[in-house]
Amino acid sequence: MQATEKIWMNGELIDWDDAKIHVGSHGLHYGTGVFEGIRCYDTPQGPSVFRLHDHLERFANSAKLLYMQLPYSPDELRDVCKELICTNGLPSCYLRPLAFYGYGELGVAARDNPVEVVIMSWPWGTYLGDDGLLNGIRAKVSSWQRIGPNVIPHVAKATGVYLNSMLAVTEANNGGYEEAIMLTHDGYVADGSGENIFVVRDGVLYTPDLSAGILPGLTRDTIIQIAQDLGHTVVEKNLIRSDLHIADELFMCGTAAEVTPICEIDDIDIGVGPVTKEIQKAYLDTVNGVNDRWAQWRDPVENFARAEA
């Protein structure tokens, strides 16, 4: 991670190295926090944050599901995100809003603990690598199951949930794969460690239904709309492991991963197909301001001053 000049923390812009919390913070011990991952792109029209409003609405809803009252509204945090982008002078960056129960009581119930809110920004390139974006990645179905929707609310982007993801992707990486795909307890395809998944078969796109306990990804929603606008049929349904193995194409999507092809699953060669390439191009052209067909999702950063060369 590349350090930047400032981090916004509880209403103040502070130096990167001064953003510290107490080791007795509730969120550190019990994973009681929520977060978002958001990208700002340097478009020809200037810096623009992709689906900023939607990300911050989900952030607020995630907090509600953890009985957490955020001291800032989504609109206030939207202004903070743009201010931070300008302060750090990063026309292209990754934004990480984070809220967690802070220092106070250390019982499991977070009754009187303060809610700490932080937003970071830093340069972050291609999550699964430039080669992965172009030629695809190798993935493996994990031995770790996806946490069920009645175990922890899957629609919350909660910090503690990502222990599940960490175990799955670490296992995959240790085995020589770039990503993991998790199944539900009854064997249906769920998602990757930080991405949703799409299967292409006979020209039709399939993606797991929300009942599989997946995070309702904003990139997933974007891809569904783009694919339908391009004339593709998209079906949300339960998928089994064999659907991955006999797919014509596979790809993952997420704010960090964007649209990344899966060229190999469980040591079965899939390759990178034309539908994946078409949707990937439409998505990247949209977020980078090349294609204005879906420009409503871009939130421009006003008053951004570029550093002189």
Side-chain angles (χ1 to χ4, degrees):
M1 181 184 295
Q2 179 181 328
T4 56
E5 184 180 350
K6 296 291 183 180
I7 290 175
W8 184 89
M9 192 169 188
N10 298 321
E12 297 182 75
L13 287 169
I14 63 175
D15 291 342
W16 179 280
D17 291 335
D18 292 335
K20 300 173 183 177
I21 63 170
H22 196 281
V23 294
S25 295
H26 196 276
L28 181 62
H29 290 254
Y30 303 117
T32 49
V34 298
F35 71 99
E36 277 296 321
I38 309 170
R39 279 194 187 270
C40 178
Y41 291 87
D42 190 10
T43 77
Q45 300 79 29
S48 181
V49 188
F50 195 65
R51 299 196 66 164
L52 179 57
H53 171 79
D54 296 324
H55 276 289
L56 294 174
E57 285 292 331
R58 186 173 65 179
F59 185 61
N61 287 331
S62 294
K64 288 179 183 178
L65 288 166
L66 268 64
Y67 308 107
M68 180 185 291
Q69 293 187 353
L70 292 179
Y72 304 96
S73 70
D75 285 341
E76 290 173 319
L77 295 176
R78 175 176 174 266
D79 291 340
V80 171
C81 286
K82 293 186 177 185
E83 179 187 9
L84 186 63
I85 290 168
C86 293
T87 298
N88 285 332
L90 296 174
S92 178
C93 64
Y94 190 82
L95 291 158
R96 170 54 55 86
L98 170 69
F100 58 93
Y101 285 112
Y103 176 70
E105 298 293 331
L106 258 186
V108 175
R111 291 180 177 173
D112 298 314
N113 296 68
V115 175
E116 311 272 354
V117 184
V118 177
I119 302 180
M120 306 168 63
S121 73
W122 71 94
W124 200 2
T126 310
Y127 181 64
L128 291 168
D130 291 335
D131 183 69
L133 201 65
L134 180 64
N135 298 313
I137 61 167
R138 300 177 68 239
K140 179 75 173 174
V141 171
S142 179
S143 68
W144 294 100
Q145 296 177 354
R146 183 67 160 97
I147 293 174
N150 289 321
V151 178
I152 297 176
H154 69 278
V155 298
K157 199 170 175 70
T159 58
V161 175
Y162 279 76
L163 175 59
N164 190 205
S165 296
M166 185 277 287
L167 290 170
V169 72
T170 301
E171 177 188 63
N173 291 165
N174 289 344
Y177 303 89
E178 283 79 44
E179 250 306 354
I181 295 174
M182 290 178 282
L183 306 181
T184 65
H185 75 281
D186 46 4
Y188 293 116
V189 175
D191 47 17
S193 67
E195 311 90 359
N196 293 120
I197 187 166
F198 282 82
V199 171
V200 182
R201 180 78 174 165
D202 296 327
V204 177
L205 281 77
Y206 300 91
T207 191
D209 188 84
L210 296 182
S211 63
I214 64 173
L215 179 76
L218 292 173
T219 309
R220 173 185 180 273
D221 176 69
T222 301
I223 295 305
I224 289 173
Q225 293 187 55
I226 286 177
Q228 291 174 336
D229 287 349
L230 292 174
H232 296 286
T233 299
V234 182
V235 179
E236 299 177 65
K237 59 171 286 187
N238 284 331
L239 300 170
I240 60 175
R241 187 173 186 170
S242 296
D243 290 320
L244 304 177
H245 294 170
I246 63 173
D248 296 327
E249 304 176 38
L250 292 171
F251 64 88
M252 287 179 152
C253 68
T255 298
E258 299 172 310
V259 178
T260 299
I262 299 173
C263 64
E264 185 181 303
I265 176 68
D266 290 342
D267 302 314
I268 297 171
D269 184 61
I270 301 295
V272 181
V275 176
T276 300
K277 290 179 179 178
E278 179 189 20
I279 291 173
Q280 182 191 64
K281 183 178 187 303
Y283 178 82
L284 293 176
D285 283 352
T286 298
V287 298
N288 284 294
V290 177
N291 187 336
D292 286 335
R293 184 172 180 180
W294 300 280
Q296 74 274 11
W297 286 322
R298 296 197 299 265
D299 195 340
V301 179
E302 303 84 0
N303 304 317
F304 183 86
R306 294 181 183 274
E308 294 184 8

